[in-house]
Amino acid sequence: MEVGRLPISASQRGKLISAGYTTLSSLSSLSPSDLALGAQTAWDMLHEDEMFPRITTSCLDLDNVLGGGINCKEVTEIGGVPGIGKTQLGIQLAVNVQIPVDYGGLGAKAIYIDTEGSFMVERVLQIAEACIEDMTECNGLLRKDFQAGQLKMHPNNILENIFYFRVCSYTEQIALTNYLDKFISEHKDVKVVIVDSVTFHFRQDFDDMALRTRLLSGIALKLMKLAKEHGLAVVLLNQVTTKYIEGSFQLTLALGDSWSHSCTNRVILYWNGNERYAYIDKSPSLRSASAPYSVTSKGIRNSASNCKRIRMM
Amino acid sequence: MELLDVGWAEVTSAVAHISAIVCPPYQSALSLMEQRVQNEHLAGHLPTRLKGLDEALCGGIPFGVLTELVGPAGIGKTQFCLKLSLLASLPSSYGGLDGHVIYIDVESKFSSRRLIEIGAKSFPEIFLTKGMAQKMSGRILVWRPASLSEFTERLQQIKVSLHRNEVKLLVIDSMAALVSGEYEQGIPRQHPLGWHVSFIKSLAEFSRIPIVVTNQVRSQSRDEACQFSFQVQRWKETKEDQARYGSHLVAALGVHWAHAVTIRLVLEAKSGQRFLKVSKSPISPPLAFPFDITASGMSLLSDDGIDLTGPDINAIRSQGHSDIINFTGESLQ
């Protein structure tokens, strides 16, 4: 039977024919997802999500509220006041993505895009050394009966696998976002892209706010596409600004209201008394919750006041 | 597309090609570290000769980034800058950078007599040698801009001279004074120094020199933003809670500036004792060092800093310190 005779709307008929299905028999063996041309069923997406591991932040409480860690395939925005630990978290993620698969990590590489110049190699070395120490300790505790080889990682190996870009203007930032697709196709083992910070070049003297909004949403879309296509995590670090809401000045993340819709997940780092906390402000799959964390000489770790739990990897 | 009358495919490939060219080159973090260790003094640090601070900062004031000194008037910011200028001009055999210094003195606080005094007391073996005092202080170029626009113009020229004169340190004392004349008081304007911040940071980056900037304090206005909207809804903290730190002083120039500086050193006076706090630093733990100003500049009373967890590291107090007496015996207030 011809497709032209089927009781369906003209536009649907047109699409079927242009896709090459002219008779009913050609349609009968297809499943709905094939016809959907690229869209996925929710069930398939759930299975895919389970296949993509998450990047740990080295802080158990923070990992818990994040559903296990930073999600690959999504864009996560992390913002906070100066000195709260955004760069520290960025560096920790760049190191943790390299944890070998045997130890529960991704064994992948990282891209670190630095717009502010806050990437200090001394600190990366410290965090890398601490990460290896933790893994070696875990090796000692859990693997006594295994014949698994000694951990052969050296902090320099970790530093080698972080690709560092220094961006000095917003045009360079846009150019780099465009170029990332090609770069990642050539370096397929990159699983996290960290931009520290996405705000800096867009806060200086931008006269045309409409242009800024357009450029930023362009960047956000490209990064989301990048995350989805290559199955990697994109982490954008943002700054704060003040806003007059409901009769008082409050802190809010920078770049405006339209930007706040652009990222899939949003985490805000803030001070609560004497502790640093992370708050899940926006996420399609996680509930709003806060978790304490601390910044130590080893990097991001559990908050000290929660030390009563047994220390486990 | 309309302007050039070309198809979508050509535009996309042109954009991709241009992006690849405009895009900055990459390097691995390892090669970054190796470059610094091999080419730069102490892997890119200017030692301050304050043992506790140098340890906290992995060697000293780092190259290539902006270090800010903020504190109330008379606490010792200019003294610290004078000592740093001296240290940068010293020959490398004495731990200096053997280079020139550009000192931008906005408030006319630079005192060459005090500089020589610090030099003579801290490094007598160099300064008492004939002609050395002149040579060292001859390397420090002091300039007093009359206005923000003059400063802006001069910054561009400085970029050129950075390569020629072997300048190893740039000091701007103080940044806040450049702006305070131009704008009215009250709720601080957003980014009055937007372009300057970017430019100065890129200067530091390309020439790989340390840039030290001083900043003033102002009192916290009642409408100051200090919480996020979700905090206000949930916990209803009142403004009185902020007073528990006993401080109503904040750094001038706003939160945008606070994000832009890489290292922030807070100088404060708490119950009559001065403290140097490493308030914001990607490479240091939050430590506070008690200090005093002596004839040879700033000296730490203890090299083991006090660990300060919590936002207290950012608080700035001005309780009961006696003002710095300048060289002629008058109080600077």
Side-chain angles (χ1 to χ4, degrees):
Chain A
M1 187 174 163
E2 291 282 344
V3 157
R5 301 256 198 94
L6 287 173
I8 50 176
S9 76
S11 58
Q12 288 170 327
R13 201 176 310 147
K15 284 183 190 165
L16 278 175
I17 292 175
S18 61
Y21 303 113
T22 46
T23 65
L24 195 56
S25 46
S26 59
L27 284 176
S28 57
S29 51
L30 295 175
S31 66
S33 53
D34 293 329
L35 277 180
L37 293 168
Q40 281 179 303
T41 65
W43 184 253
D44 287 336
M45 283 174 77
L46 182 61
H47 275 292
E48 257 190 37
D49 277 350
E50 283 165 5
M51 277 169 45
F52 280 89
R54 289 166 179 257
I55 309 176
T56 173
T57 58
S58 293
C59 167
L60 204 57
D61 296 321
L62 189 50
D63 278 349
N64 281 343
V65 296
L66 285 171
I70 299 285
N71 198 358
C72 289
K73 281 193 108 173
E74 281 181 357
V75 175
T76 307
E77 179 188 5
I78 302 179
V81 293
I84 194 85
K86 304 185 290 296
T87 304
Q88 303 297 308
L89 189 51
I91 297 177
Q92 186 72 63
L93 290 171
V95 167
N96 285 358
V97 77
Q98 301 183 39
I99 295 177
V101 177
D102 288 343
Y103 290 83
L106 283 82
K109 300 193 182 166
I111 290 180
Y112 198 98
I113 299 174
D114 188 6
T115 62
E116 300 182 334
S118 35
F119 184 81
M120 315 223 48
V121 273
E122 302 93 337
R123 185 56 173 154
V124 184
L125 192 62
Q126 267 180 358
I127 294 183
E129 282 168 352
C131 182
I132 292 182
E133 255 174 47
D134 283 349
M135 286 196 286
T136 319
E137 222 181 289
C138 167
N139 211 8
L141 284 174
L142 300 176
R143 289 169 165 245
K144 286 189 210 120
D145 43 334
F146 282 87
Q147 257 200 351
Q150 285 294 316
L151 183 63
K152 287 196 184 71
M153 278 180 99
H154 186 268
N156 283 1
N157 297 125
I158 296 191
L159 287 178
E160 225 172 9
N161 291 333
I162 302 179
F163 297 110
Y164 175 75
F165 287 86
R166 176 73 171 97
V167 163
C168 299
S169 69
Y170 74 87
T171 38
E172 279 189 11
Q173 198 171 336
I174 297 173
L176 180 51
T177 318
N178 292 342
Y179 176 65
L180 271 179
D181 193 37
K182 179 154 176 269
F183 185 86
I184 294 178
S185 322
E186 290 163 10
H187 296 89
K188 287 212 184 291
D189 38 9
V190 169
K191 283 295 173 204
V192 70
V193 175
I194 299 154
V195 184
D196 178 13
S197 61
V198 70
T199 332
F200 185 68
H201 294 299
F202 286 95
R203 280 182 102 173
Q204 332 281 21
D205 285 344
F206 236 96
D207 297 321
D208 187 354
M209 281 303 177
L211 174 65
R212 189 180 90 156
T213 314
R214 279 203 306 277
L215 292 175
L216 284 172
S217 44
I219 291 183
L221 281 174
K222 286 195 206 95
L223 289 172
M224 273 201 277
K225 189 172 167 222
L226 203 69
K228 187 138 187 5
E229 272 179 10
H230 298 275
L232 47 84
V234 175
V235 177
L236 304 179
L237 301 179
N238 197 358
Q239 298 176 350
V240 297
T241 182
T242 55
K243 193 170 166 184
Y244 195 73
I245 307 172
E246 292 165 15
S248 66
F249 282 96
Q250 288 172 10
L251 290 174
T252 180
L253 293 195
L255 295 178
D257 290 324
S258 15
W259 171 260
S260 63
H261 296 296
S262 305
C263 296
T264 318
N265 301 301
R266 187 173 244 214
V267 177
I268 298 183
L269 307 179
Y270 65 101
W271 285 107
N272 186 11
N274 266 359
E275 293 256 31
R276 293 166 210 256
Y277 270 73
Y279 173 69
I280 311 288
D281 189 46
K282 170 186 162 194
S283 167
S285 54
L286 304 164
R287 47 187 287 254
S288 280
S290 291
Y293 69 96
S294 70
V295 180
T296 67
S297 58
K298 298 179 164 206
I300 304 279
R301 291 292 186 272
N302 287 341
S303 155
S305 51
N306 285 354
C307 254
K308 292 181 198 139
R309 64 183 83 235
I310 303 167
R311 196 172 157 271
M312 264 174 50
M313 271 296 285
Chain B
M1 257 163 43
E2 291 156 10
L3 290 172
L4 296 174
D5 198 24
V6 292
W8 178 250
E10 279 116 338
V11 169
T12 347
S13 76
V15 166
H17 193 61
I18 297 172
S19 301
I21 297 175
V22 172
C23 174
Y26 76 92
Q27 49 180 192
S28 74
L30 183 64
S31 75
L32 202 65
M33 183 174 81
E34 283 167 352
Q35 251 177 23
R36 306 246 165 111
V37 166
Q38 282 163 15
N39 301 345
E40 293 179 355
H41 182 76
L42 280 190
H45 293 272
L46 165 61
T48 61
R49 298 295 187 101
L50 301 170
K51 184 155 167 273
L53 182 63
D54 282 345
E55 263 175 39
L57 291 177
C58 298
I61 307 280
F63 292 4
V65 293
L66 223 52
T67 302
E68 179 197 19
L69 287 171
V70 59
I75 196 104
K77 305 186 289 294
T78 305
Q79 301 295 308
F80 191 64
C81 291
L82 289 175
K83 183 96 183 258
L84 277 182
S85 313
L86 211 56
L87 287 168
S89 63
L90 284 182
S92 3
S93 44
Y94 289 96
L97 298 180
D98 205 18
H100 293 250
V101 176
I102 294 182
Y103 195 107
I104 298 181
D105 182 22
V106 183
E107 297 174 306
S108 302
K109 286 209 190 121
F110 187 89
S111 159
S112 36
R113 288 168 91 183
R114 176 64 176 138
L115 183 77
I116 304 290
E117 186 196 16
I118 294 178
K121 289 274 166 23
S122 320
F123 312 104
E125 62 283 6
I126 312 175
F127 270 75
L128 298 178
T129 321
K130 195 180 164 87
M132 282 304 271
Q134 189 182 8
K135 185 175 173 201
M136 293 299 118
S137 45
R139 287 178 174 177
I140 302 176
L141 186 68
V142 181
W143 179 59
R144 300 194 163 118
S147 69
L148 184 61
S149 39
E150 232 186 83
F151 174 70
T152 313
E153 262 178 54
R154 188 56 187 260
L155 265 186
Q156 320 255 26
Q157 293 168 7
I158 285 178
K159 187 172 184 180
V160 175
S161 66
L162 274 182
H163 299 287
R164 272 190 279 128
N165 288 7
E166 297 191 340
V167 173
K168 296 285 165 91
L169 171 67
L170 175 63
V171 179
I172 303 176
D173 180 16
S174 69
M175 202 69 178
L178 279 171
V179 192
S180 59
E182 317 269 327
Y183 294 92
E184 59 205 24
Q185 294 305 314
I187 308 287
R189 257 181 205 261
Q190 296 270 345
H191 339 141
L193 295 170
W195 174 83
H196 301 83
V197 170
S198 255
F199 191 78
I200 295 174
K201 281 184 83 143
S202 66
L203 265 186
E205 193 79 27
F206 287 118
S207 49
R208 288 295 300 166
I209 58 166
I211 295 191
V212 178
V213 179
T214 62
N215 192 8
Q216 296 167 350
V217 295
R218 57 171 178 84
S219 35
Q220 197 168 25
S221 55
R222 296 191 42 181
D223 287 336
E224 198 84 14
C226 47
Q227 290 177 331
F228 290 94
S229 55
F230 63 87
Q231 284 177 290
V232 171
Q233 285 155 24
R234 277 174 163 204
W235 293 294
K236 303 254 186 284
E237 255 175 58
T238 56
K239 289 283 174 273
E240 279 75 40
D241 280 346
Q242 296 304 314
R244 69 192 143 145
Y245 298 120
S247 132
H248 292 283
L249 293 178
V250 290
L253 299 178
V255 75
H256 174 60
W257 169 259
H259 275 298
V261 298
T262 311
I263 302 213
R264 171 172 268 189
L265 300 173
V266 169
L267 303 175
E268 68 164 5
K270 189 171 158 190
S271 318
Q273 171 62 56
R274 299 177 202 227
F275 285 92
L276 169 71
K277 301 199 286 197
V278 184
S279 169
K280 177 186 173 191
S281 164
I283 44 178
S284 326
L287 292 172
F289 300 95
F291 74 91
D292 254 342
I293 304 286
T294 63
S296 55
M298 183 186 286
S299 68
L300 297 182
L301 297 177
S302 153
D303 281 323
D304 306 309
I306 305 162
D307 239 314
L308 282 183
T309 47
D312 200 31
I313 193 75
N314 299 324
I316 308 177
R317 294 177 195 81
S318 179
Q319 300 164 353
H321 72 276
S322 54
D323 291 325
I324 294 215
I325 314 289
N326 74 6
F327 193 73
T328 59
E330 297 154 17
S331 165
L332 271 180
Q333 256 299 353

